[in-house]
Amino acid sequence: MSTASEFLKSKQPRVVVRPSLSSSPPPPQKRYPIAEPSAASNNVQQVNLDLKTIHEVPTKSSFRSKKYKRLIGLAMCLSCVMGAAVPFVIVFGGGKNTDTSGTTVCRTSTHTTTTGNYRKSKMNDEPLTFYFTSPAVTCTSMISWNSTGITVAGVTGSSGATSTLINYPKDVAVDSYMAVYVSDSDNARIQRWSAGATMADTVAGTTGSVGSSSTEFAEPRATFIDSNNTLYVADFFNYRIQKFSYNSTIGVTVAGVGTSGSAYNQINGCYGVYVDGNGAIYYSDYNNHRIMRWDATSSTGVLVVGGNGAGSALNQLSGPQKFDFDPNNSSILYIADQNNHRIQMWALGGTTGRTVAGGNGFGNALNQLAYPWDVLADVQGYLYISDTYNHRILQWLIGASSGVVLIGSSSPTAGSGAADLNYPNGILFDSYRNLYVADSNNFRIQKYLFCT
């Protein structure tokens, strides 16, 4: 099998992944007196596999069988999906001191593995449990991400149209299999790096072919993946939003009519897309200075925010880029108001917004932004801002007068090192709170591991 997910599907096991999304993860279920990760361990992950669904109950003599070697390999693949070098413990239900330990060593876009010694022991048909702990990473006080990035797509400083290269990536998305999708704008395609892959597959668009057919783009910008792994793409100069079912390369237009304009059924450049549980599509209408919603069964859009012309008044936007909903209140939007160098908080149905970050003119002070591209909100009340022309990602507590540099230089200066950025565009958290950045002018996607 080529991936851990394919192996799982082929055996149809019961798989439960319980990621920890807080700084105080729940302790793993205790079964035996072995060296399990403690509750204080960083970002404990647990995966349970029911042996009965895989094959017959094993005996001592079958422990070193190919099937179990494949299970050990599965543990390594799963741990690499969770990010970087990860120690693991495998527990076979019911056995006393029954464990298999090892270490995975993951590298950029690939992984290699080394393992420890395995001890044979009696096993029964209780679930097999894999315990994973994230690698120890260095964090600055009060900051919960390692500032040194891992390149997970592209090659630093090298643009191109091969399966290993990208050309000015504008956005990044991650599906439920932890595959990374890249809006490879100047190559007119969407690239997908499966977990552990060294090369990408083109899942939408046609490399180097700019057009308006169902298999083409004219500069794809924003991407969004829903819970069914359906892909949505903002096709900027085709003035539309395309929908791709999982593994389909044929797009369906779900918003816009293919021509620019200010009518509610038209889009004049889009940088941000979000799809809710009802299939309603929210999108930024950049040159119309507004945020719109297109309902699943509708033939036109509905004004949500802005629409009062370009400006800096509280009822106006000027070139809205990407946006995010408040995870504690789905009726509140945070908008990267690019040309006003600010982040606006706006209630759905409201007539005015409120500046919650920036708004102090173009600049590189910690109370200023410079053409922000994207914003994310978390449940703790923090915003994460892609401060593009300052080559940095800021963490900004809502209500604070300034932010803190999370990623990038405090100078700020563009760079190509593992801790540098060069015009960051779209940003994203995965389900483990690792942060991804489309580092556009470095032609790469950077991943920053979550830590505490």
Side-chain angles (χ1 to χ4, degrees):
M1 297 296 171
S2 60
T3 67
S5 62
E6 288 174 351
F7 172 67
L8 285 173
K9 287 179 180 178
S10 71
K11 300 300 181 181
Q12 297 182 347
R14 174 176 60 84
V15 180
V16 181
V17 180
R18 299 186 180 93
S20 168
L21 300 184
S22 68
S23 59
S24 301
Q29 182 180 355
K30 294 187 178 294
R31 294 173 184 266
Y32 329 100
I34 66 169
E36 297 175 351
S38 68
S41 295
N42 177 36
N43 203 19
V44 173
Q45 316 292 339
Q46 177 178 319
V47 177
N48 296 325
L49 300 179
D50 188 344
L51 292 179
K52 274 188 170 180
T53 63
I54 299 176
H55 51 75
E56 294 179 357
V57 178
T59 64
K60 285 185 179 181
S61 61
S62 68
F63 178 73
R64 293 181 184 273
S65 69
K66 290 183 179 179
K67 290 179 179 179
Y68 274 91
K69 289 179 181 178
R70 290 175 72 186
L71 282 175
I72 291 164
L74 170 61
M76 296 170 184
C77 291
L78 286 171
S79 60
C80 283
V81 168
M82 293 175 184
V86 183
F88 65 85
V89 176
I90 306 176
V91 178
F92 298 91
K96 189 174 182 180
N97 289 322
T98 335
D99 69 287
T100 299
S101 300
T103 303
T104 64
V105 180
C106 301
R107 296 190 174 92
T108 302
S109 298
T110 67
H111 70 271
T112 58
T113 60
T114 59
T115 62
N117 295 321
Y118 306 111
R119 299 201 296 273
K120 294 184 290 183
S121 57
K122 184 178 180 180
M123 294 168 279
N124 62 22
D125 60 353
E126 293 183 17
L128 161 66
T129 301
F130 294 57
Y131 289 110
F132 301 89
T133 55
S134 294
V137 291
T138 304
C139 292
T140 305
S141 177
M142 303 305 292
I143 299 295
S144 294
W145 285 267
N146 187 356
S147 60
T148 301
I150 302 167
T151 301
V152 295
V155 176
T156 301
S158 297
S159 64
T162 68
S163 59
T164 61
L165 298 176
I166 48 182
N167 198 0
Y168 296 105
K170 300 302 182 186
D171 206 4
V172 58
V174 178
D175 70 14
S176 63
Y177 300 107
M178 302 303 290
V180 176
Y181 293 68
V182 181
S183 180
D184 190 6
S185 183
D186 282 26
N187 284 325
R189 65 187 184 181
I190 305 297
Q191 296 292 88
R192 180 176 68 195
W193 268 263
S194 298
T198 58
M199 298 183 294
D201 297 315
T202 299
V203 295
T206 304
T207 301
S209 177
V210 176
S212 59
S213 74
S214 61
T215 60
E216 293 177 307
F217 295 119
E219 291 198 23
R221 299 290 172 90
T223 55
F224 182 88
I225 295 177
D226 69 14
S227 59
N228 296 315
N229 290 324
T230 301
L231 172 67
Y232 297 81
V233 181
D235 190 4
F236 195 85
F237 286 111
N238 281 324
Y239 312 106
R240 65 186 183 182
I241 295 171
Q242 296 292 90
K243 175 182 176 180
F244 297 83
S245 297
Y246 186 67
N247 279 340
S248 172
T249 58
I250 306 299
V252 176
T253 301
V254 290
V257 292
T259 59
S260 64
S262 59
Y264 281 6
N265 70 340
Q266 292 178 302
I267 300 173
N268 196 354
C270 176
Y271 282 98
V273 177
Y274 177 90
V275 183
D276 70 15
N278 296 317
I281 301 166
Y282 292 80
Y283 55 95
S284 63
D285 193 358
Y286 183 81
N287 289 305
N288 285 322
H289 315 290
R290 64 193 184 190
I291 305 295
M292 302 288 289
R293 185 188 76 242
W294 196 295
D295 294 323
T297 59
S298 181
S299 59
T300 191
V302 176
L303 179 66
V304 174
V305 165
N308 297 306
S312 59
L314 293 180
N315 70 337
Q316 292 178 305
L317 299 169
S318 182
Q321 294 267 113
K322 295 196 71 179
F323 56 89
D324 196 21
F325 281 89
D326 190 317
N328 298 314
N329 186 342
S330 60
S331 66
I332 292 178
L333 276 175
Y334 298 96
I335 305 163
D337 189 11
Q338 187 185 54
N339 297 328
N340 283 324
H341 315 294
R342 66 186 183 183
I343 305 299
Q344 294 296 93
M345 182 177 76
W346 207 304
L348 299 182
T351 57
T352 60
R354 178 167 70 92
T355 302
V356 291
N360 298 304
F362 175 96
N364 59 27
L366 290 177
N367 69 340
Q368 293 178 303
L369 301 173
Y371 297 107
W373 190 285
D374 199 356
V375 58
L376 300 174
D378 72 11
V379 295
Q380 285 81 29
Y382 285 94
L383 300 177
Y384 302 85
I385 303 166
S386 180
D387 190 10
T388 301
Y389 276 59
N390 282 326
H391 314 290
R392 65 190 183 186
I393 307 298
L394 292 180
Q395 183 187 54
W396 199 305
L397 180 65
I398 297 173
S401 59
S402 61
V404 175
V405 176
L406 188 69
I407 309 292
S409 172
S410 58
S411 302
T413 305
S416 59
D420 298 321
L421 296 170
N422 191 349
Y423 293 97
N425 286 186
I427 57 178
L428 177 80
F429 288 123
D430 67 19
S431 57
Y432 303 103
R433 294 199 72 188
N434 300 311
L435 177 64
Y436 296 76
V437 179
D439 190 9
S440 186
N441 287 26
N442 278 326
F443 313 110
R444 67 187 183 184
I445 303 298
Q446 293 293 89
K447 177 181 179 179
Y448 301 88
L449 298 179
F450 177 68
C451 57
T452 54

